[in-house]
Amino acid sequence: MGISVGQGPGGAGFSPVLAATGANSPYQGNRDPLLRGPLIKLPVGSIRPEGWLRTQLELMAGGFTGHLAELSKFCKFQGNARVDPSGEGSAGWEEVPYWLKGYVDLGYVLKDQRVIAESLRWIEKVLATQREDGYFGPRGNLTAAGPRNARMIDLWPNMIMMFPLRTYYEATGDRRAIDLMTRYFRWQAAIPPDQLLPASWQKIRGGDNLDSIYWLYDRTGEKWLLDLAARNHDRTADWTNAVASWHGVNFAQCFREPAQYYQQTRDSKFLRATERNYDAAMRQYGQVPGGMFGADENARPGYAGPRQAAETCSMVEFMHSDEMLARITGDPVWLDRAEDVAFNSLPAAMTPDLKGLHYLTAPNQVQLDRSSKAPMVQNDGDMFSYNPYQYRCCQHNVAFGWPYYAESLWMATPEGGLAATLYAPSKVTAKVAGGATVQIAEETGYPFTGDVRFSFAAASPVRFPLVLRTPGWSGTPSLTVNGKSVAVSASGRGWLTVDRQWRSGDRVTIHFPMKIVVARWEANRDSVSVQRGPLTYSLKIGENWKAYATEGWPAYEVYPTSAWNYGLIVDASRPEASIRIGKETKQVAGQPFAQATAPIELKMKARRIPAWKQEANGMVGELPQSPAASSDPVEEITLIPMGCARLRISAFPVVPR
Ligand SMILES: [Zn+2]
């Protein structure tokens, strides 16, 4: 564990991992005996996303997420078991809670009155479903189909529903949410141990229940909740000694469970188990760009190349796990990982207007048609085309990806400071040590540029530590405070702390140098990827969007209109010398994650590899071993950020000069 070193007013200390020092934050962190974390989530509404991130959320509100009540048969209010006072009716499983988990946050992050009003309509009714004994929600989940045709209590749908209730409480302070959760967990505590989390998703994903038990304990201090937490851990699938499931979403969601439990036990073996889980998945199935691992539906031995895909649910769950683990550990590597998925993988899961989504996104994916790609991907049927009516779990669950991301841009530190944890244009209004309210505006073209500018506003001067994350790819950043350069000796991943008295009009700038680098994936036939800062770059492939639905919202297949089978010519000793910036827009578009608005393009030399073709089912062919044979002419190709590329080659073979 590193130590955050404030070098007195005006200085900047560096630490590789943020430690939990002090207890001066006005915000509720972990309560004793839970381990005090080094970062505390700010209440929803504290952070106003701006720029491209705000546009993502606005597009969501106008897109399928904001209109799921019209598009999804599961989100019909009338007759819905989630809102029926006696919990009877249809659609009582995961879909509505998945949607509300994002939709409620979307409303409060954007302060969008239409979304908030519709959210409250659901929340009010959900609050009214609680029984005398504490159970709430659809009654059918009490007698779900379990193993060997036995009936079981299925807690999974309510695990998800806890999250929008928590957000609702943060936004409104309505005690009814706390009371409902307290009575509900009391009911859970009375379930006979062998009937708690007996099987199925709930057993594998018990970490979600655990997070809400701790959340409630931090707010009420009722000690019996910690007993329930311990039992919840014991009854959750064992993620401590092994990877409990190779299902993509299960893994993305619950590899973190041991690290969550570490907060209660303080035994570092649990923390190490989560790190070991992550490393195991990424070593075997994540030797590709984009921050995900191939699991299309499950990760399968022998299917680990860049054409294997990740489910949209896995992306948003992985991001949430990263955000949670950063709060628990203070290790900025989790935030680098969240950015990797958010910038490079998630945007391509949806159309640029966020009016359609698909189930599976891969680093190499050159045609998005409706035909089945099984058995090359595990899941049979249409998984690649964009459609707002399909893909059941992802269609609802993707809603929380960007809102939770926006809520994690800034976090409070226990000593009463504020940390810039994920970089994006935003404005944070928060309390610091002593209770004074400060406002910090963050202007940046990040992740397309490495320049970030902060300006401060406060009623009167106030001293607090400003903590800035330095990403792992960054060289030594340059930092200025009010135009004066501040010495920064360290480089690479960590945290910079500037502890001084801040006053209105103060300005801080930080510049993270972004070098072009070539990553080599030995495990995947010595393929390479081009990276610059947090972004990976993909081949720019001509896109032909073909609408195929005739009624309602359009659905699309996307076909390539230009060659995609290129191998790169890279100078092994100085790879960056073979790549140049071809175009760079200073003004990042509202929706930069589209081919037409890509803020930056790279140029480099390549040759086509004639033997590398599409499969009969339209899937991209297996990546050839590098160096790959090609005597085709040398051409100059254009690369765009991976998140801008719906059709993409992101892991390339290398060809001779
Ligand atoms: Zn899904």
Side-chain angles (χ1 to χ4, degrees):
M1 288 280 173
I3 301 165
S4 178
V5 192
Q7 296 180 327
F14 180 86
S15 58
V17 174
L18 204 58
T21 51
N24 303 318
S25 176
Y27 295 103
Q28 181 66 58
N30 274 348
R31 196 189 270 264
D32 287 342
L34 295 182
L35 197 67
R36 202 180 297 276
L39 292 164
I40 304 167
K41 183 186 180 295
L42 293 170
V44 68
S46 307
I47 300 163
R48 180 188 158 89
E50 306 278 8
W52 68 263
L53 183 52
R54 184 168 201 84
T55 304
Q56 300 303 311
L57 297 161
E58 288 171 349
L59 289 171
M60 282 179 69
F64 67 89
T65 293
H67 292 275
L68 269 190
E70 303 144 48
L71 299 171
S72 159
K73 65 173 189 269
F74 301 99
C75 300
K76 301 259 173 288
F77 195 83
Q78 280 307 324
N80 199 294
R82 183 50 70 183
V83 294
D84 179 78
S86 51
E88 303 297 340
S90 61
W93 203 48
E94 66 183 10
E95 293 82 9
V96 169
Y98 264 161
W99 174 51
L100 291 176
K101 182 178 177 185
Y103 191 70
V104 171
D105 287 66
L106 179 67
Y108 286 114
V109 169
L110 278 180
K111 301 188 165 70
D112 179 317
Q113 295 310 318
R114 177 188 75 85
V115 176
I116 291 173
E118 192 177 353
S119 298
L120 293 181
R121 180 173 176 234
W122 288 81
I123 293 284
E124 272 302 324
K125 294 290 185 188
V126 167
L127 290 170
T129 63
Q130 192 159 36
R131 297 196 309 204
E132 203 61 33
D133 67 358
Y135 180 74
F136 78 104
R139 305 301 190 251
N141 296 327
L142 293 169
T143 52
R148 292 176 297 279
N149 293 325
R151 297 285 126 190
M152 66 173 183
I153 300 170
D154 186 1
L155 300 182
W156 164 237
N158 275 0
M159 284 188 205
I160 313 168
M161 194 60 221
M162 292 285 130
F163 289 96
L165 288 171
R166 287 161 53 171
T167 298
Y168 169 73
Y169 175 72
E170 277 185 13
T172 63
D174 185 345
R175 291 285 312 178
R176 288 181 303 163
I178 297 282
D179 294 343
L180 177 139
M181 288 176 72
T182 303
R183 291 196 302 267
Y184 174 63
F185 282 129
R186 271 210 185 280
W187 170 83
Q188 265 190 23
I191 296 175
D194 63 327
Q195 290 173 39
L196 182 71
L197 310 180
S200 185
W201 281 169
Q202 58 174 336
K203 184 164 199 67
I204 296 170
R205 301 175 176 181
D208 272 28
N209 210 42
L210 189 60
D211 191 59
S212 291
I213 296 171
Y214 289 152
W215 183 91
L216 185 63
Y217 173 73
D218 287 338
R219 277 148 192 85
T220 67
E222 294 191 32
K223 287 279 197 299
W224 59 268
L225 284 164
L226 297 181
D227 300 333
L228 176 62
R231 201 171 321 139
N232 188 91
H233 169 77
D234 290 341
R235 294 291 300 163
T236 297
D238 182 9
W239 289 93
T240 307
N241 296 298
V243 170
S245 169
W246 284 105
H247 179 268
V249 187
N250 286 345
F251 184 91
Q253 182 166 355
C254 220
F255 78 98
R256 60 170 144 81
E257 191 274 345
Q260 295 175 249
Y261 192 50
Y262 158 72
Q263 298 175 94
Q264 184 170 353
T265 62
R266 301 175 180 236
D267 181 344
S268 61
K269 84 169 182 192
F270 291 107
L271 200 50
R272 285 197 306 273
T274 284
E275 289 165 356
R276 198 169 55 238
N277 289 342
Y278 182 88
D279 290 345
M282 298 311 277
R283 188 178 62 248
Q284 295 174 74
Y285 301 105
Q287 296 299 303
V288 293
M292 293 303 302
F293 55 97
D296 42 34
E297 175 90 10
N298 297 279
R300 295 174 294 161
Y303 294 85
R307 69 178 188 172
Q308 301 312 135
E311 185 180 330
T312 304
C313 282
S314 299
M315 297 180 193
V316 291
E317 295 290 355
F318 226 17
M319 286 162 58
H320 183 208
S321 294
D322 291 338
E323 292 150 11
M324 197 185 286
L325 288 165
R327 290 199 298 272
I328 294 170
T329 66
D331 189 338
V333 74
W334 297 112
L335 298 162
D336 284 9
R337 289 167 178 169
E339 287 190 346
D340 195 358
V341 176
F343 301 150
N344 296 309
S345 291
L346 181 62
M350 290 170 281
T351 55
D353 61 7
L354 278 73
K355 289 186 172 171
L357 79 155
H358 62 192
Y359 192 78
L360 293 177
T361 304
N364 286 2
Q365 197 171 20
V366 298
Q367 184 169 302
L368 308 176
D369 65 283
R370 278 175 286 172
S371 71
S372 176
K373 303 293 178 280
M376 293 149 195
V377 303
Q378 190 182 27
N379 234 321
D380 207 346
D382 179 10
M383 296 287 140
F384 281 20
S385 82
Y386 291 116
N387 191 327
Y389 296 95
Q390 276 180 200
Y391 311 121
R392 190 165 169 176
C393 52
C394 304
Q395 179 193 20
H396 300 85
N397 195 18
V398 71
F400 86 107
W402 285 124
Y404 274 41
Y405 192 84
E407 289 178 60
S408 301
L409 297 179
W410 290 88
M411 296 188 197
T413 67
E415 59 266 60
L418 286 172
T421 36
L422 298 165
Y423 291 106
S426 60
K427 190 176 280 178
V428 60
T429 306
K431 289 187 165 56
V432 292
T437 297
V438 300
Q439 194 171 71
I440 307 174
E442 174 179 352
E443 290 175 84
T444 181
Y446 194 95
F448 304 98
T449 74
D451 291 305
V452 191
R453 297 172 297 283
F454 303 97
S455 51
F456 290 71
S460 51
V462 54
R463 182 172 173 166
F464 68 92
L466 173 74
V467 183
L468 304 172
R469 169 180 145 256
T470 61
W473 46 261
S474 173
T476 304
S478 34
L479 177 70
T480 73
V481 176
N482 292 331
K484 287 203 192 69
S485 144
V486 177
V488 177
S489 53
S491 69
R493 184 175 292 126
W495 301 94
L496 283 172
T497 299
V498 185
D499 188 358
R500 70 192 293 276
Q501 191 169 65
W502 300 101
R503 55 185 75 227
S504 276
D506 279 352
R507 285 165 296 112
V508 169
T509 68
I510 191 159
H511 170 74
F512 301 111
M514 285 184 173
K515 262 177 50 185
I516 295 173
V517 297
V518 173
R520 193 169 287 276
W521 308 103
E522 287 92 353
N524 271 317
R525 302 183 174 176
D526 288 320
S527 55
V528 296
S529 297
V530 176
Q531 299 171 346
R532 180 177 177 270
L535 300 182
T536 294
Y537 284 75
S538 296
L539 179 69
K540 184 178 185 179
I541 301 171
E543 298 173 351
N544 177 21
W545 290 68
K546 284 168 75 168
Y548 67 81
T550 51
E551 280 176 30
W553 288 38
Y556 294 98
E557 297 181 310
V558 190
Y559 290 86
T561 62
S562 60
W564 55 264
N565 56 345
Y566 286 98
L568 303 183
I569 298 174
V570 283
D571 178 350
S573 58
R574 246 170 19 106
E576 64 285 356
S578 32
I579 307 161
R580 65 182 176 85
I581 293 175
K583 179 193 105 176
E584 195 170 11
T585 326
K586 290 285 168 247
Q587 200 64 40
V588 172
Q591 171 51 300
F593 294 111
Q595 190 182 84
T597 53
I600 180 164
E601 290 183 353
L602 304 181
K603 298 280 188 185
M604 69 182 303
K605 298 278 196 288
R607 294 178 196 269
R608 292 183 64 181
I609 302 170
W612 191 20
K613 298 192 169 91
Q614 280 174 266
E615 308 275 4
N617 65 10
M619 181 115 170
V620 61
E622 282 272 27
L623 192 68
Q625 174 68 46
S626 291
S630 173
S631 51
D632 274 31
V634 173
E635 299 175 49
E636 185 171 70
I637 58 163
T638 302
L639 305 179
I640 56 174
M642 193 174 164
C644 307
R646 289 346 184 246
L647 304 182
R648 61 243 302 263
I649 294 292
S650 318
F652 291 88
V654 174
V655 290
R657 179 165 295 278

